Amino acid sequence: RPLPEGRRATLASALELEGTVLREGPLTQFVANNLERRIRLSGAPRGEPPAGGGGSSIPAIDPGALQDVVALAGQVAAQVDELLRNVHCGLQALTALSVGCIQTYRDGVESLGEAADLSIRAMYALVARCEELDRAMQPVPALAKRIRDMKGTLERLEGLCK
């Protein structure tokens, strides 16, 4: 419930007499002088002098205002609970996503290791086969020389026969 401008100024002036009033934009803060004493005075039953002595210049607390404060505090607490639940759920989702990424990375590294191992084995097998082929091909140059010699001999024989 916004207060009319005139009432707001009167209230602020009265508060300045009882403590420090700080204004930051639409926010007004009030720090009471002798706050501890005032709290004791506000808790004393009407008609009884307070334990610290002295007269009370603090007006009675409006029960409706207290109920409003309690209701607002309950709303704030519910909103804070909801916020914390949302943060908790968000953190759980992020944690699950992080765990999934780490597991995927681990699986990829393991798969890469296995693939590299298989590739190395295949390369060694290929090298071994190439060495076998090289050993098997060693008689080929000698055979080629013999074939050339035979071809030359055949050509000479053909030349004699003509």
Side-chain angles (χ1 to χ4, degrees), residues 1 24 28 40 42 46 61 66 77 80 108 112 114-115 152 155:
R1 303 173 215 150
E24 295 176 14
T28 302
R40 279 194 205 109
S42 68
R46 296 211 180 251
I61 297 174
L66 283 178
V80 167
L112 177 65
E114 291 171 4
E155 285 176 359

Side-chain angles (χ1 to χ4, degrees), residues 8 12 17 21 29 34 54 61 72 80 121 130 140 148 154 157:
R8 181 187 236 172
L17 296 174
V21 178
Q29 297 177 1
N34 300 323
I61 297 174
L72 288 173
V80 167
R121 289 179 188 188
C130 287
V140 170
R148 278 192 299 271
L154 278 174
L157 278 175

Side-chain angles (χ1 to χ4, degrees), residues 58-72:
I58 298 176
I61 297 174
D62 179 18
L66 283 178
Q67 289 174 351
D68 291 345
V69 168
V70 168
L72 288 173

Side-chain angles (χ1 to χ4, degrees), residues 3-162:
L3 295 174
E5 241 358 87
R7 170 117 190 246
R8 181 187 236 172
T10 308
L11 183 61
S13 305
L15 288 175
E16 286 174 350
L17 296 174
E18 300 294 326
T20 306
V21 178
L22 302 171
R23 290 181 189 86
E24 295 176 14
L27 178 67
T28 302
Q29 297 177 1
F30 172 70
V31 180
N33 295 333
N34 300 323
L35 182 61
E36 195 174 315
R37 180 178 162 271
R38 291 176 182 274
I39 291 172
R40 279 194 205 109
L41 290 175
S42 68
R46 296 211 180 251
E48 289 184 26
S56 172
S57 63
I58 298 176
I61 297 174
D62 179 18
L66 283 178
Q67 289 174 351
D68 291 345
V69 168
V70 168
L72 288 173
Q75 289 175 356
V76 168
Q79 290 173 352
V80 167
D81 285 345
E82 182 67 24
L83 175 68
L84 290 176
R85 272 194 294 278
N86 289 339
V87 168
H88 179 74
C89 290
L91 287 175
Q92 281 184 330
L94 288 174
T95 301
L97 181 63
S98 297
V99 167
C101 289
I102 289 170
Q103 288 173 344
T104 302
Y105 178 76
R106 181 200 62 212
D107 294 345
V109 168
E110 287 176 2
S111 176
L112 177 65
E114 291 171 4
D117 189 43
L118 288 175
S119 295
I120 291 169
R121 289 179 188 188
M123 184 59 73
Y124 278 124
L126 178 63
V127 168
R129 296 283 166 102
C130 287
E131 288 173 352
E132 288 175 16
L133 183 62
D134 187 47
R135 280 192 298 270
M137 297 294 281
Q138 282 179 354
V140 170
L143 270 169
K145 185 174 186 284
R146 281 180 64 195
I147 290 172
R148 278 192 299 271
D149 290 343
M150 289 169 91
K151 187 176 178 184
T153 306
L154 278 174
E155 285 176 359
R156 275 183 259 143
L157 278 175
E158 280 180 359
L160 289 174
C161 289
K162 284 192 187 178

